[in-house]
């Protein structure tokens, strides 16, 4: 009884939460959510969300070969069991309260000759009919159709059979089938045809599939094939039948039953079960022996025999419901979409849903929509810390906070960007210094250095000449320090760009130290003081830092260590400091000792401390490297920055082609075209702004703003851009010409003086504007009338001259007076009717058709984008 | 953190494609039920179906929007061997007041002899250009010479790819340095034909598309392909859905002026390869800055990928396709006994109404997945 040991599984046709596992006995389970009150302690987990509870066990029917669940609602839980001896027994699980069920319970249907029962099928319409497929026995029939309501017929049953069954007295044994089919053959599988419930499809041992009509059992249509196992009808397409043989599934169309419509790719192992999905069109699940994979065939467009011959589009998928054990059997859930329960040979069960192919799309505002099966899911990003935020979200937020638009205090832009990005901070400070110091230079040297300051420290130090080497003393000490410092005009300029010193000829770092102290950057301030050879000040800063709020007391210890400085080469202090400094966590503390313990003119430990800000390293290099070393170091650092796309490097490259290269590398990494556009617009030379890459970033940024419907921000950006790059100003886009003379009716400034004279010559009384705005400036014919107020278009004079301001300034360009939007000319580009903007808007608030009589144009609905509101207005 | 909300789509069969318009305020879906639906987002953020109509006589595989500069235009393609262009028309009925819009077919493109598997509008700087690909391995590029007349499309190019095509993607770069470029994926099952992704580039001199690159390392069937929005970058990034998620970087090699006649040569780098979907990957999609990639696979999950500064890609989130939480999520069970997840048949609302009300909300805390380094 090999097959009896392998559990099979059946879903209840009417209870979506019940199924039966059958091996040597029948066990009824109920499936429920994990953690609900229904789930008892003894429930078996089926998946992360569901568990099964055992409701009933029935072991009355040994030697089970096949089971079929009664298809009607009442009586529920009625099962037909086919046994190894060919008998079919009706049995039930759990509740058998109603009388009809009691009557049927235990009823047996006995064939003439004992042989294995292979398959059972209830008739879907006439549910009293039960078809049983049996093995072959000489010339006997192999398909018996029983009527479960038929009564006991003693004369037909030999006495010994009755004794065997043991309950002849109860009248529960039926031996006379309603129909007998398939003489001299075996039946491996059968099914009723849903299209005509009198028809039965059989698969026989004689290598054929046959359709019998019970109204005339002598006639049959049949086809020879090997695929005679597991015939099953597609519930969604009742002419489609699947059957299998070893590893191959054949799909048949009953309307053209001569050969399979197509066969599925052959599997290496023999198939054990094939089942159509009851909830989804054209999805077939197949299972082979000793495997943990269920193969699904999605027949979205299987060819039909009637249509033309197209290639079948069958999509194969393999799913693994449980990774560890092999699968003994599976069953689709009758109603839940694509859900199935699988059972392993050791009766471990798992609940499993086959997912449909999910299609998905991002919207421009970073929300994700996906479609799974017939459902849509809208998924939006919410919350999240600044570090996790995507650059798209960051750019949207920055656009809202007017990032890049602060043209007076340029450094503040990094605060508008959120103030937590060190690269942006460095970038905007660099731009701030560049813009601050360039006018100074311009005044002094008539512009030849103005471009120099934009070209970054790299070029500044290259042009350096007249460097003087000085040996300064440690402040407060008479002894000369054995460190050489270098000075030149260019180096001072570089220090200014680094932010270490301010305007003016004298080198005073005190304001810079003060500002660092204010921001609580104690270590940095101390090291800057130290680099300026002021140990006392450095110690003072460290002490201050230690005593400040949330101060680090360790700074006092550092100050103590610092105070012991000696420049003796072989001192213990020197030895200890140079080895212990590597254990300091803070980079600026580390470089302080590196500086003090370094050999003369060898500051690699400071210069290559990558945790130190680039501007401090550069400033340090400008003070302590000679004319040979400095350009080499700066070049090296510049290349490093360009490679990494680090915006701190803009200090070195300036707004030059080099800077564009660096920015390109930054954009390649981050996609931050916003910063790229705003910072590169600051470039003074056409070389930078006209660089195709810069133009490309600007276009991409404008495109982003448009896609986000940040139209106001886009317009503001365009204004900002045209101020910095006048060539980007667009030309006038709309001209309105007079109906009579064909000239433009715009009151452009150039045309005005002439016209003013013209009017006065003709001696038009009163204000010249009065007659002008309602008529064409060229030919003085009246302008068209507003469709609503029927007045000629043009601003009523009273609204403009009423303000005192315009009377004072008579020379004000006239177009400024026509400012009120309600008086604007508007017209529909479709029907060409129009009028005052205010009148038109109020009309279309209540109407959909044009106000001009007999015009049915739906002017306001013509443009869908026009109905969208910009998303950057509050 | 991402929050998922279910929308009753009311399609009668599988939805094959979802597509947003340029502004993200409209959406189109297409399905095996042979229809296309258009959805509009209300000011309160809810989606309302404003049009639903039968578009084809077979499954509709894909639907896509043209840039709004060309009007409200959709293209769809289907198993019925055709692609179609649709335009929203206004002003002829009072549909707008009832929250409905009316779409009419402007053209049917009937050149394919097999199922048309993908349709995509070219980037807008190329004009109104549409590409289709079909199961017989032909990519067709159509152009509407007059953007005011959407009923006239001329077949400009036919590219024979030899292998059955499943998906196409235009390179969205608008930079003049990058000629028009289109990539094609093939779902041919035979792994011996390698190079399931081909990239074609337009040559200004010959006025033809020529093959610029074949990704020979992609040997399994490709189900989806997507060029990342270029956003001013100097290279192109291509995501591929095959048996795993792959991200390729194509760096155009700077060419000399003397050899400018041939197609651009690329240095192709594999940036990432993820098999965490365990089996077939069906779709890939980029966000607007190409910093986030979403993929969906046979495991029924949607995964989100993000690169850090060093071009290291890693998974930043997993969401289950039915909106239920992923194992290990701290809010497990929140969305369980809601109507959407029980599999009950959806009520068949009429098309007109607000069939879009979010029926339940599921909070999904995204799990940081282990970064797989390759």
């Amino acid at each position: 009884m090999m097959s009896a040991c392998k559990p099979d599984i059946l879903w209840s046709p009417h209870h979506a939460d019940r199924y039966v596992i059958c091996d040597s006995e029948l066990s009824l389970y109920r499936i429920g959510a994990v953690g609900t009150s229904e789930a008892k302690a003894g429930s078996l987990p089926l998946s992360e969300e569901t568990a099964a509870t055992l409701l009933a066990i029935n072991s009355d029917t040994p030697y089970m070969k096949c089971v079929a669940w009664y298809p009607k609602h009442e009586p529920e839980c009625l099962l037909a069991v086919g046994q190894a001896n060919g008998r079919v027994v009706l049995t039930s699980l759990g509740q058998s309260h109603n009388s009809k069920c009691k009557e049927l319970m235990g009823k047996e249907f006995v064939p003439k000759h004992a042989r294995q029962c292979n398959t059972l099928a209830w008739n879907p319409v006439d549910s009293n009919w039960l078809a049983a497929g049996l093995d072959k026995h000489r010339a006997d029939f192999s398909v018996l159709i029983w009527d479960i309501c038929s009564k006991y017929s003693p004369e037909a049953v030999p006495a010994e059979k009755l004794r065997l069954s043991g309950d002849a007295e109860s009248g529960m044994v039926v031996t006379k089938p309603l129909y007998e089919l398939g003489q001299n053959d075996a039946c491996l599988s059968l099914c009723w045809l849903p299209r005509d419930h009198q028809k039965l499809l059989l698969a026989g041992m004689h290598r054929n599939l046959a359709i019998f009509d019970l109204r005339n059992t002598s006639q049959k249509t049949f086809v020879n094939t090997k695929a005679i196992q597991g015939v099953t009808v597609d519930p969604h397409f009742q002419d489609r039948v699947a059957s299998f043989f070893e590893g191959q599934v054949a799909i048949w169309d009953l309307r053209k039953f001569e050969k399979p419509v197509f066969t599925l790719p052959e599997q290496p192992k023999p198939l054990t079960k094939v089942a159509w999905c009851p909830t989804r069109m054209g999805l077939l699940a197949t299972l082979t022996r000793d495997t943990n994979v269920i193969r699904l065939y999605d027949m979205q467009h299987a060819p039909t025999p009637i249509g033309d011959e197209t290639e079948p589009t069958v999509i194969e998928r393999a799913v693994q419901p449980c990774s560890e054990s092999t699968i003994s059997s599976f069953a689709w859930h009758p109603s839940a979409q694509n859900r199935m329960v699988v059972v392993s040979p050791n009766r471990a069960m798992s609940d499993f849903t086959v997912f449909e192919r999910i299609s998905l799309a991002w919207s421009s505002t970073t929300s994700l929509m996906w479609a799974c099966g017939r459902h849509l899911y809208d998924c939006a990003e919410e919350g999240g810390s600044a570090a996790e935020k995507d650059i798209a979200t960051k750019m949207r937020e920055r656009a809202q906070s007017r990032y890049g638009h602060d043209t007076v205090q340029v450094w503040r832009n990094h605060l508008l960007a959120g103030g937590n990005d060190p690269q942006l901070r460095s970038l905007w400070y660099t731009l701030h210094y560049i813009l601050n110091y360039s006018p100074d230079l311009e005044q002094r040297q008539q512009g030849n250095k103005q471009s120099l300051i934009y070209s970054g420290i790299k070029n500044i130090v290259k042009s350096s000449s007249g460097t003087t080497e000085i040996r300064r003393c440690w402040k407060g000490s008479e002894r000369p320090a054995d460190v050489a410092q270098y000075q030149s005009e260019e180096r001072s300029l570089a220090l200014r760009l680094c932010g270490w010193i301010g305007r003016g000829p004298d080198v005073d770092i005190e304001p810079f130290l003060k500002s660092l102290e204010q921001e609580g950057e104690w270590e940095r301030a101390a090291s800057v003081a130290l680099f300026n050879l002021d140990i006392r000040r450095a110690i003072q800063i460290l002490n201050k830092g230690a005593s400040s709020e949330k101060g680090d007391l360790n700074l006092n210890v550092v100050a103590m260590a610092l105070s012991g400085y000696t420049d003796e080469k072989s001192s213990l202090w020197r030895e200890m400091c140079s080895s212990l400094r590597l254990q300091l966590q803070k980079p600026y503390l580390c470089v302080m000792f590196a500086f003090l313990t370094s050999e003369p003119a060898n500051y690699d430990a400071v210069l290559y401390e990558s945790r130190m800000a680039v501007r401090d390293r550069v400033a340090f290099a400008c003070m302590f490297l000679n004319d040979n070393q400095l350009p080499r170091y700066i070049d090296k650092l510049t290349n490093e920055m360009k490679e990494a796309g680090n915006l701190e490097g803009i200090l070195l490259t300036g707004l030059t082609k080099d800077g564009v290269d660096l920015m390109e590398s930054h954009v390649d990494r981050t996609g931050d075209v916003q910063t790229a556009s705003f910072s590169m617009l600051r470039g003074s030379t056409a070389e930078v702004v006209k660089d195709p890459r810069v133009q490309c970033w600007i276009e991409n940024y404008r495109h982003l703003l448009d896609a986000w419907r940040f139209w106001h921000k886009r317009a503001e950006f365009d204004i900002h851009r045209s101020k910095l790059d006048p060539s980007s100003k667009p030309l006038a886009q709309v001209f309105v010409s007079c109906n009579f003379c064909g000239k433009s009716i715009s009151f452009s400034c150039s045309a005005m003086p002439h016209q003013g004279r013209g009017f006065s010559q003709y001696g038009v009384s009163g204000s010249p504007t009065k007659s002008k705005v309602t008529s064409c400036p060229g030919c003085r014919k009246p302008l068209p009338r507003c469709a609503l107020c029927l007045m000629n278009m043009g601003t009523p004079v009273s609204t403009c001259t009423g303000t005192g301001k315009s009377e004072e300034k008579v020379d004000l360009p006239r177009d400024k007076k026509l400012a009120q939007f309600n008086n604007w000319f508007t017209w529909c580009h479709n029907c060409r009717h129009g009028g005052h903007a205010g009148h038109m808007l109020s009309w279309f608030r209540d109407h959909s058709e044009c106000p001009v009589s007999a015009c049915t144009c739906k002017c306001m609905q013509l443009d869908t984008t026009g109905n969208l509101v910009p998303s950057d207005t509050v | 953190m991402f929050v998922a909300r279910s929308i009753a789509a009311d399609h009668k069969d599988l939805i094959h494609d979802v597509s947003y318009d340029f502004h993200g305020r409209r959406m189109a879906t297409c399905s095996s039920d042979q229809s296309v639906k258009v959805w509009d987002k209300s000011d309160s953020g809810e989606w309302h179906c404003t049009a639903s109509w039968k578009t084809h006589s077979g499954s509709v595989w894909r639907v896509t929007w043209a840039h709004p500069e060309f009007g409200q235009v959709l293209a769809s393609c289907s198993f019925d061997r055709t692609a179609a262009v649709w335009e929203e028309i206004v002003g002829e009925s009072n549909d707008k007041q009832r929250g409905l819009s009316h779409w009419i077919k402007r053209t049917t493109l009937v050149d394919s002899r097999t199922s048309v598997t993908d349709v995509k509008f070219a980037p807008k700087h190329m004009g109104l250009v549409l590409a289709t690909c079909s199961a017989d391995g032909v990519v067709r590029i159509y152009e509407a010479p007059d953007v005011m007349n959407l009923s006239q499309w001329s077949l400009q190019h036919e590219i024979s790819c030899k292998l059955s095509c499943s998906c196409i993607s235009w390179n969205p770069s608008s930079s003049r340095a990058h000629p028009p470029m289109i990539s094609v994926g093939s779902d041919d099952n035979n792994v011996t034909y390698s190079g399931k992704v081909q990239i074609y580039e337009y040559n200004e001199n010959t006025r033809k598309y020529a093959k610029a690159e074949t990704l020979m390392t992609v040997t399994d069937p490709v189900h989806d392909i997507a060029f990342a929005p270029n956003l001013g970058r100097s290279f192109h990034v291509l995501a591929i859905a095959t048996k795993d998620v792959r991200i390729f970087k194509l760096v155009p090699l700077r060419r000399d002026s003397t050899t400018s006649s041939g197609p651009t040569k690329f240095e192709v780098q594999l940036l990432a390869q993820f098999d965490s979907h365990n089996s077939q990957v069906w779709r890939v999609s980029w966000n607007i800055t190409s910093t986030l990639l979403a993929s969906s696979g046979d495991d029924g999950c949607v995964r989100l990928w993000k690169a850090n500064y060093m071009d290291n890609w890693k998974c930043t989130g997993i969401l289950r396709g039915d909106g239920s939480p992923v194992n290990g999520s701290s809010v497990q069970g929140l969305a369980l006994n809601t109507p959407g997840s029980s599999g009950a048949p959806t009520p068949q609302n009429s098309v007109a109404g607000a069939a879009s009300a979010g029926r339940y909300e599921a909070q999904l805390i995204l799990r940081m997945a282990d970064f797989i380094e390759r």
Side-chain angles (χ1 to χ4, degrees), chain B residues 171-196:
Chain B
N171 184 346
S173 171
S174 60
S175 163
R176 280 200 198 93
H178 305 140
M181 191 192 290
I182 190 166
S183 62
V184 191
S186 167
D187 59 354
D188 194 295
N189 268 311
N190 194 338
V191 290
T192 52
Y193 302 127
S194 61
K196 294 286 160 58

Side-chain angles (χ1 to χ4, degrees), chain A residues 49 280 300-301 317 355 357-358 362 370 373 376 378-380 382 388 390 664 668 671 697 700 861 864, chain B residues 1 3 5 7 14-15 32 47 59 79 88 90 231-232 234 282 285-287 291 296 298 300 306 320-321:
Chain A
E49 290 99 19
R280 164 93 142 68
Q300 278 290 313
H301 286 284
R317 293 170 62 182
F355 283 96
R357 277 178 295 162
I358 300 167
W362 285 102
W370 76 79
L376 286 169
D378 189 1
C379 185
E382 285 190 4
E388 295 168 4
D390 185 57
E664 180 180 29
D668 281 356
W697 298 330
N700 273 292
Q861 296 172 11
T864 312
Chain B
M1 198 176 73
V3 176
R5 201 171 48 138
I7 298 166
L14 286 189
I15 300 170
S32 267
W47 289 98
S59 280
F79 180 76
E88 186 180 31
V90 282
L231 213 70
S234 58
W282 296 116
S285 172
W286 291 101
N287 75 335
T291 43
S296 71
D298 242 355
K306 191 174 182 173
R320 268 251 273 276

Side-chain angles (χ1 to χ4, degrees), chain A residues 229-237 240-245 247-252 262-265 267 271 273-288 293-300 302 313-319 330-332 338 340 354 356:
Chain A
Q229 282 178 296
V231 289
T232 167
V233 182
D234 185 346
H236 293 279
F237 182 34
R240 188 152 67 186
V241 173
S243 70
F244 66 89
F245 162 70
Q248 195 148 37
V249 178
I251 307 293
W252 304 83
F262 61 97
T263 53
L264 297 178
Q267 299 301 317
L271 290 153
K273 187 158 185 174
V274 166
W276 295 98
C277 176
T279 53
R280 164 93 142 68
M281 181 90 171
L283 184 65
L284 185 76
T286 69
L287 176 69
T288 57
V293 174
I294 290 178
R295 271 172 211 286
L296 301 174
Y297 297 91
D298 188 349
M299 284 164 239
Q300 278 290 313
T313 46
V314 179
I315 302 159
E316 183 183 329
R317 293 170 62 182
V319 291
F330 70 92
W332 289 105
N338 290 0
M340 58 164 71
V354 180
E356 299 291 355

